[in-house]
Amino acid sequence: MSTSFIRATALALLCLSSAASAQEKGPFGGFKHDSSAPIEITADSLEVRQADQVAIFEGNVIAGQGTLRLTASRVEVYYDQEAEGGETGAIQRLDASGNVFLSNGSETARGAEGTYDVAEGKVSMAGDVVLTQGENAVSGKQLEIDLNTGVGRIVGRVGASFLPSSGN
């Protein structure tokens, strides 16, 4: 390995640790969810396929749960069998496609498609994903975040840009 490669790698790790120390749980810690909060969805249209236990929202879809926001062209919402009293059961997952954007405070993620597994508290995105946290950005082909632990992973020719801390 060349000396310049080792120095560049060390610098990237130093910047990453500086960015992570500024956050409570590291670079993915800002993405949180409250599984007990209601999920609110608006869209241009809705199609319900009761037999398949899916509701399909299309056109300018905005879904929110607490401070977590998801926007996309299309979101398919999968839910459990009917609950007691004939009401629709709990939402299990949201599958989003078309200009998917996820945000929670200063952290955002963009990609072509994404899944929010409400029951597990996990988000996965694919399709030239870009994750930003303030001035820092990381890109790759796929992103996975565990909202309960703040642990995340980006794979597929990862690129990163970190703004070093100006404080001493």
Side-chain angles (χ1 to χ4, degrees), residues 132-155:
T132 62
Q133 182 184 56
E135 297 294 320
N136 301 319
V138 181
S139 63
K141 293 293 179 190
Q142 294 179 315
L143 164 70
E144 295 176 8
I145 302 173
D146 184 323
L147 299 172
N148 299 309
T149 64
V151 174
R153 175 183 166 104
I154 297 178
V155 297

Side-chain angles (χ1 to χ4, degrees), residues 4-81:
S4 60
F5 175 76
I6 293 170
R7 284 184 186 149
T9 303
L11 179 61
L13 290 173
L14 178 63
C15 290
L16 182 57
S17 68
S18 295
S21 67
Q23 298 295 321
E24 289 180 20
K25 291 185 178 182
F28 301 99
F31 279 110
K32 297 176 180 149
H33 82 132
D34 177 0
S35 61
S36 66
I39 296 175
E40 298 176 358
I41 303 173
T42 60
D44 293 338
S45 68
L46 168 64
E47 175 184 342
V48 177
R49 297 180 186 167
Q50 190 66 32
D52 297 326
Q53 299 166 316
V54 64
I56 303 167
F57 294 85
E58 288 191 286
N60 302 306
V61 183
I62 302 171
Q65 184 179 37
T67 59
L68 192 64
R69 293 284 177 264
L70 172 73
T71 63
S73 300
R74 176 184 171 106
V75 174
E76 296 180 6
V77 178
Y78 293 87
Y79 52 89
D80 283 339
Q81 295 284 344

